[in-house]
Amino acid sequence: GAAERLRGTPLYPPIADPGAASVDRYAPWFAAAWVPLTFVPRDAVGVGWVLAMFAASGVALWPLVESRRWGLVLLGGLLAPFLAGASIHGNVQPLIVAGLVRTVDGRAGPLGIGISASLKGFPLLYTVRYAVLGEWRRCLVAVAAALVLTAPMLLFDLSHYPLSPGPLAGRWLVSPIAWAGGAVVGLAALLRFARGRAGWFAASLAVVMAMPRLLYYDMTFLLVTGRELLESAGPPNPTRR
């Protein structure tokens, strides 16, 4: 829908329900990438995208399954239905998580974080670990990538951009103070564990805790655990004595 609007109508039009599935909160580049698909039958695009999201879900889950560590496999099993739900509804979350799982602690990590942040904002918190570790170049590259991808929003009319988190706002519905308290707890955990093997998992927890509009599939950011944690989780086949 955003790609179709990009061909001649406002990208961010007036909306009655900020929680509607048709609401576009993403940077314009994502809509632009879909413009060629607006010339393909909508049902075919929908089926193809859902299948692609299921494939991305498999990519996101595979490192935990491959580790053969019961704790990590259990984590994957708990979050797999959330990825499946996101895939069925065509949400981009499985692709975001798969990209982060595969890149976050590698050379492409800053770019993966920047792209994710341009779509859902809060993944920019992953850069806090770079900062704590003194990896300032990687931190700046991630922030720069997010800014470059997000800046074109300023070329559009943002007067109707949906700032309200809508009815599915998690702790925000309880109280903005409850949301802020959770965000502080997540950030504190990140700062405490950023230097350790669980640093990326702590960053994922901070991302989840900071989201005022927390949907069930946002929990799948917890799949971004990093190679260090996967390799240090103990032997895959403990020997009985």
Side-chain angles (χ1 to χ4, degrees):
E4 289 171 343
R5 292 196 299 272
L6 201 59
R7 291 172 54 188
T9 58
L11 180 59
Y12 305 109
I15 53 173
D17 178 12
S22 60
V23 173
D24 180 27
R25 301 173 187 266
Y26 300 158
W29 72 264
F30 193 61
W34 277 70
V35 168
L37 297 177
T38 62
F39 299 97
V40 180
R42 195 182 185 97
D43 288 344
V45 174
V47 171
W49 180 251
V50 168
L51 292 177
M53 291 306 96
F54 272 107
S57 298
V59 172
L61 291 166
W62 181 246
L64 273 67
V65 176
E66 190 179 33
S67 73
R68 292 184 294 170
R69 274 75 172 185
W70 286 113
L72 296 175
V73 172
L74 178 60
L75 175 64
L78 289 172
L79 296 178
F82 294 173
L83 283 176
S87 298
I88 290 172
H89 290 96
N91 192 280
V92 74
Q93 180 74 5
L95 187 60
I96 291 176
V97 173
L100 288 171
V101 165
R102 290 297 180 176
T103 66
V104 73
D105 53 3
R107 295 181 62 182
L111 184 58
I113 292 171
I115 292 173
S116 301
S118 74
L119 295 178
K120 299 214 171 184
F122 292 96
L124 198 62
L125 284 171
Y126 284 106
T127 63
V128 173
R129 192 186 190 211
Y130 287 149
V132 172
L133 295 176
E135 298 178 358
W136 293 106
R137 181 176 178 276
R138 294 168 67 82
C139 180
L140 292 174
V141 169
V143 172
L147 289 176
V148 167
L149 291 172
T150 306
M153 291 179 70
L154 300 176
L155 301 176
F156 295 84
D157 179 9
L158 298 177
S159 59
H160 300 291
Y161 183 84
L163 296 176
S164 169
L168 302 175
R171 294 189 314 279
W172 187 273
L173 280 183
V174 178
S175 166
I177 296 176
W179 164 76
V184 169
V185 170
L187 183 59
L190 171 55
L191 295 174
R192 169 63 178 83
F193 296 105
R195 295 183 180 275
R197 292 172 177 175
W200 289 120
F201 183 80
S204 297
L205 177 63
V207 170
V208 171
M209 295 293 284
M211 288 186 162
R213 189 173 185 264
L214 182 62
L215 304 177
Y216 68 90
Y217 47 72
D218 290 322
M219 297 294 293
T220 58
F221 279 114
L222 296 176
L223 293 171
V224 185
T225 57
R227 190 181 304 115
E228 275 187 293
L229 187 61
L230 291 174
E231 294 175 349
S232 66
N237 294 305
T239 302
R240 288 188 177 182
R241 293 186 178 181

